[in-house]
Amino acid sequence: MLNLDFHPSGRHFLQIPGPSPVPDRILRAMSLPTIDHRGPEFGALGLELLAKLKQVFKTAGPVMIYPASGTGAWEAALANVLSPGDRVLMYETGHFAALWHKMALRLQLEPEFIGLPGYEGWRQGVQADMIEARLREDAEHRLKAVCVVHNETSTGVTSDIAAVRRAIDAAGHPALLLVDTISGLASADYRHDEWGVDVTISGSQKGLMLPPGISFNALSDKAIAASRESTMPRSFWAWDEILEANRNGYWPYTPSTNLLYGLNEALDMLLDEGLEHVFARHQRWAAGVRTAVEAWGLEIQCQDPALYSPVLTGVVMPDGVDADAVRKIIYERFDLSLGMGLGKAKGKMFRIGHLGDCNDLTLIATLGGCEAGMKLCGVPLAGSGVAAALEYFADNPLRSSDSCNS
């Protein structure tokens, strides 16, 4: 039998940028007995969940819940609003934007991929002016949608979605706006309605603090209207039957009941804390980790400080140092999992996640493992990142009541 609980004494540090560590409170909620997904108790649960989700997406419109990974929610978004042969404009910010582009090709769409060139292009966010310029060229409105990633998990860059909406409007173009915030939702500020997003895609295993297995589409009225015109073959992903069943808190198929228990608990945790406080907490953690990286004398993957992600920090290794070899030593010696560099960033950097069941001491321990591992690998460090982060967290409490001077 495969032993999945193979770690030595103490707790394994899962500091990848998702799946994130799951709080015990959510695990306990998921352990409750499964109920009849056609019974009255489930209908009440479904209605409660769907109402709370709207608050997190900041939308008055419907939110679809799929028993699938974020990849499934990508497919649902494309399959519901587009038809085979449709042209879509997709912006390359990193590995996950590239995977979404690959999916569009497999669905027989005609994606046009734009972005800044090479690996350095993956260190910047979406350039809204490039989108506006391309849409202005499309006088016949052949481009049916613009697809961008909000928080690019492979790079630690959080793009300005409001600027993308302004670019589409400035071009006077009717294209739909589809946004992936799989890793951004519930950790970084996100506003589906205010930013004029037509379909928002997200998943359970990041800021929502759940295991992988459920994903989401938040819909605008324009997106729902487009879905009625779409000729893309779809059944499981189709919004119409889900929208109808959701009216009474149900689904047209068997939902992942126990994951929905966990989602309900997660939403209570987030809304009780207050989303603005949640966002501030993640920004503070991110700033503390970046303080450590700067003390080490290393580069941060994201080169635009205005776009630093509150969800993860990419740490670039010096020339000649294999980031994957460093990660391997850190994992083997300190039971600490870090995110690897993906695609164009493979071997160049590793990623520290600061989301999920986390606190200051979790991150101090994580930074300690990183610092020790890099020293073992001979990475030249300018100073102690651990000491710098400790000082940052001590000097910058999240609440004034946390200060000794309060």
Side-chain angles (χ1 to χ4, degrees), residues 2 22 32 127 172 193 213 225 240 251 282 319 321-322 332 363 397:
L2 180 64
V22 181
L32 293 172
Q127 306 296 301
D193 284 1
D240 54 354
W251 275 259
H282 284 84
D319 289 342
V321 175
D322 182 355
E332 292 175 347
L363 292 176

Side-chain angles (χ1 to χ4, degrees), residues 16-23 26 70 96 151-154 180-187 202-214 216 266 270 282 311-312 342 351 354-357:
I16 61 176
S20 59
V22 181
I26 292 175
F96 290 97
N151 188 80
E152 176 58 71
T153 322
S154 66
D180 165 352
T181 187
I182 289 172
S183 62
L185 188 77
S187 294
S202 196
S204 60
Q205 73 275 20
K206 310 280 188 175
L208 289 173
M209 307 178 288
L210 292 161
I214 49 180
F216 312 92
L270 292 165
H282 284 84
V311 179
L312 71 139
L342 299 168
R351 297 170 295 147
H354 23 84
L355 72 167
D357 192 21

